[in-house]
Amino acid sequence: MEGDISQKLLNGAKKTEVEEPTLRELIWTESKKLWVVAAPATFTRFSTFGVTVISQAFIGHIGPTELAAYSLCFTVLMRFGNGVLLGMASALETLCGQAFGAKQYHMLGIYLQRSWLVLFLTACCLLPLYIFTTPILIALGQDEKISHVAGYISHWFIIIVFSFIISFTCQMFLQAQSKNMIIAYLAAFSIGIHIFLSWLLIVKFKYGLAGAMFSTVLAYWMPNIGQILFVTCGGCKETWKGFSMLAFKDLGPVVKLSLSSGVMLCLEFWYNTILVLLTGNLKNAQVAIDALAICLNINGWEMMISLGFLAAASVRVSNELGRGSAKGAKFSIILTTLTSLAIGCVLFVVFLCLRGRLAYIFTTSEEVASAVADLSPLLACSILLNSVQPVLSGVAVGAGWQSIVAWVNIGSYYLVGIPIGVVLGYVLDMHVKGVWVGMLLGTLLQTVVLIVITYKTDWDRQVVLAQARVNKWFVPESRDENGSNTENATA
């Protein structure tokens, strides 16, 4: 009897050892991890994008000159600063994600402080652009009155640019730990306050542009204050061990990875800007630019979903690589890509069916609405590509391939997409459609190349590389805690 019981227990133990979760269980588990990052990240990006749209709407009621100046500053200056700092901050996604997966929790706080230093120096280098905006715009042939107002707005933008340092780094620090619901709550609170303050200062008390910019600055800084308090006051006990002099050590590799990340993302961000610039030189440019602006506005809102999946792909891949699971990284890539693609397919069909009807949300012009309807198939294709391409960029960030993707972007976008767009738009007289087709072909080529790279990658080797990176910059926790005033001061 005793032998039978022992035999049953041994059999039960063996069963437990070999028993693996079913495919359905794996999908359910990974989906939960995916949406824990993707949902708050998407909402946060919608809210941040909404701050700009709300500011633009209220400034439009102040006057056409103020609106033109704000639009110019946002399109050129804000996007430039945003692209550079967001790109450089994405290095933190690689470092924090892999360190968290490797359970080197205390290193996340050190990486965060190193990223603050790198981004602060970068923001200081960008200052002349915002200080001398007026003479720069006048030299570029812009209207003098608009340039002077833009110069005033750009001085306010300096405060916003420095807010990106805290915003981007804290978001990536928290995302690596799947703790980004707090970011979504803060973003929702911030946009609510922004709407109320904009109405109060502009409509009620008539403070004009100063009131609008004060409310905008506050909307960008409020979430930062909340994030800093959450990180430093107990919300991240395992990953934040206090300020450390170790933040000043090993900055070289962080700068190198940050520069690669910055180049990679900036090349993508500036691609659409070049599309607008090329369109501005075509015949009947006013209608073309209006129609394109509407399409890019819709595309921009949809892109917030894609950027949420970019964040999720980056976090999941970096966590799995840091944990040492090549199989987990591959499964995460497949599931994230298929989930994002499914959403993209639904939106593709929706925008194909709606066509020009969406234009009437933004304009009353029949001519512009007709032009939007004509561009709708291209918009739908862009949305479909956006459902895959950002996920693959997120995979690249998670694995630390930023420099490779930067070269892929140069080849796909600037050596293929733009030249084809110029030939189709100008030489073959396809106008804005030709330019956009060229740009889409560049994006398609980039997507195909990234799919091939991802498919051909030896993920077991990527695990080794990730663990080598994590171990190379590893600092024992005891040294960080006990030597913060002595050892760290000489590190």
Side-chain angles (χ1 to χ4, degrees):
M1 183 72 176
E2 194 174 320
D4 290 339
I5 293 171
S6 299
Q7 189 66 35
K8 284 179 183 177
L9 287 171
L10 284 170
N11 289 338
K14 285 178 184 175
K15 202 177 212 177
T16 306
E17 283 174 22
V18 298
E19 192 175 327
E20 290 187 2
T22 62
L23 180 61
R24 180 182 291 182
E25 288 171 338
L26 285 171
I27 291 172
W28 175 247
T29 303
E30 183 59 36
S31 293
K32 285 194 291 185
K33 291 177 180 177
L34 165 68
W35 283 105
V36 160
V37 179
T42 301
F43 179 79
T44 301
R45 283 161 174 78
F46 266 114
S47 299
T48 306
F49 193 69
V51 167
T52 305
V53 173
I54 290 162
S55 298
Q56 200 162 8
F58 277 101
I59 289 170
H61 291 285
I62 298 172
T65 302
E66 288 79 3
L67 179 60
Y70 179 84
S71 299
L72 188 63
C73 282
F74 174 74
T75 304
V76 179
L77 298 178
M78 181 76 91
R79 280 187 179 174
F80 181 82
N82 184 296
V84 171
L85 293 173
L86 178 61
M88 295 193 73
S90 74
L92 195 64
E93 287 187 277
T94 307
L95 298 172
C96 283
Q98 292 182 0
F100 188 80
K103 299 189 177 182
Q104 295 181 2
Y105 299 131
H106 67 286
M107 287 302 298
L108 273 73
I110 295 172
Y111 289 142
L112 176 62
Q113 292 169 64
R114 287 175 183 170
S115 193
W116 283 343
L117 289 171
V118 173
L119 264 67
F120 178 78
L121 293 173
T122 305
C124 289
C125 293
L126 294 174
L127 279 179
L129 186 64
Y130 295 87
I131 294 171
F132 302 109
T133 298
T134 298
I136 290 171
L137 290 177
I138 291 173
L140 291 173
Q142 296 296 318
D143 180 82
E144 193 169 332
K145 190 177 179 183
I146 292 174
S147 297
H148 281 291
V149 178
Y152 173 77
I153 293 171
S154 69
H155 292 159
W156 285 91
F157 275 11
I158 292 172
I159 310 171
I160 295 174
V161 165
F162 279 95
S163 79
F164 291 153
I165 298 170
I166 304 296
S167 176
F168 295 152
T169 53
C170 283
Q171 282 181 31
M172 290 165 189
F173 173 79
L174 292 168
Q175 278 176 5
Q177 309 166 61
S178 299
K179 288 186 176 180
N180 55 334
M181 272 307 296
I182 181 67
I183 305 171
Y185 293 140
L186 290 168
F189 174 75
S190 173
I191 199 168
I193 294 294
H194 181 47
I195 294 169
F196 172 72
L197 266 184
S198 296
W199 171 82
L200 190 69
L201 297 175
I202 299 168
V203 179
K204 187 74 174 173
F205 293 122
K206 310 291 183 186
Y207 281 122
L209 201 53
M213 294 313 301
F214 176 78
S215 180
T216 304
V217 166
L218 203 61
Y220 277 102
W221 269 101
M222 275 190 297
N224 291 349
I225 295 167
Q227 287 175 53
I228 286 289
L229 290 174
F230 181 81
V231 168
T232 58
C233 297
C236 302
K237 290 179 182 178
E238 286 185 314
T239 53
W240 177 262
K241 301 296 182 180
F243 292 98
S244 170
M245 290 300 292
L246 287 170
F248 293 92
K249 189 179 179 183
D250 289 330
L251 278 176
V254 177
V255 171
K256 186 179 177 182
L257 185 59
S258 296
L259 286 172
S260 299
S261 303
V263 170
M264 171 190 149
L265 281 188
C266 284
L267 288 172
E268 294 187 16
F269 278 20
W270 297 338
Y271 195 45
N272 281 343
T273 303
I274 292 170
L275 174 60
V276 176
L277 291 174
L278 287 174
T279 305
N281 293 317
L282 292 169
K283 294 174 184 176
N284 200 12
Q286 184 62 53
V287 172
I289 289 175
D290 285 349
L292 186 61
I294 290 170
C295 289
L296 290 180
N297 201 347
I298 295 167
N299 196 40
W301 281 106
E302 187 277 332
M303 193 67 180
M304 298 303 109
I305 301 172
S306 303
L307 290 176
F309 279 96
L310 185 154
S314 170
V315 170
R316 293 299 306 129
V317 169
S318 59
N319 282 176
E320 293 298 328
L321 290 178
R323 193 167 67 90
S325 175
K327 189 177 178 181
K330 287 190 283 188
F331 186 75
S332 178
I333 292 167
I334 294 168
L335 186 66
T336 306
T337 305
L338 290 177
T339 305
S340 184
L341 181 60
I343 294 171
C345 287
V346 172
L347 293 174
F348 173 79
V349 173
V350 168
F351 284 104
L352 268 185
C353 294
L354 288 174
R355 293 182 69 82
R357 285 189 284 274
L358 275 174
Y360 291 106
I361 300 172
F362 304 93
T363 183
T364 55
S365 168
E366 293 283 344
E367 192 177 8
V368 172
S370 176
V372 171
D374 200 35
L375 292 174
S376 287
L378 295 177
L379 173 62
C381 290
S382 291
I383 287 168
L384 188 61
L385 279 176
N386 283 348
S387 66
V388 177
Q389 185 268 336
V391 173
L392 298 174
S393 293
V395 171
V397 170
W401 300 341
Q402 286 92 329
S403 57
I404 297 171
V405 179
W407 285 110
V408 172
N409 288 350
I410 290 171
S412 303
Y413 291 160
Y414 297 90
L415 299 182
V416 175
I418 292 172
I420 290 176
V422 170
V423 170
L424 293 176
Y426 289 85
V427 180
L428 299 181
D429 288 328
M430 289 177 66
H431 306 297
V432 67
K433 287 178 74 174
V435 175
W436 201 343
V437 166
M439 307 295 266
L440 275 177
L441 288 174
T443 306
L444 177 62
L445 176 61
Q446 187 233 26
T447 304
V448 170
V449 171
L450 289 181
I451 288 172
V452 171
I453 290 173
T454 305
Y455 179 74
K456 294 282 188 181
T457 294
D458 181 349
W459 286 99
D460 290 312
R461 175 168 166 71
Q462 291 303 312
V463 166
V464 173
L465 292 173
Q467 292 181 336
R469 181 187 290 116
V470 167
N471 292 331
K472 182 182 177 182
W473 294 344
F474 175 72
V475 180
E477 187 175 358
S478 58
R479 180 182 171 190
D480 186 38
E481 289 179 341
N482 301 329
S484 56
N485 297 323
T486 54
E487 276 186 90
N488 290 353
T490 58

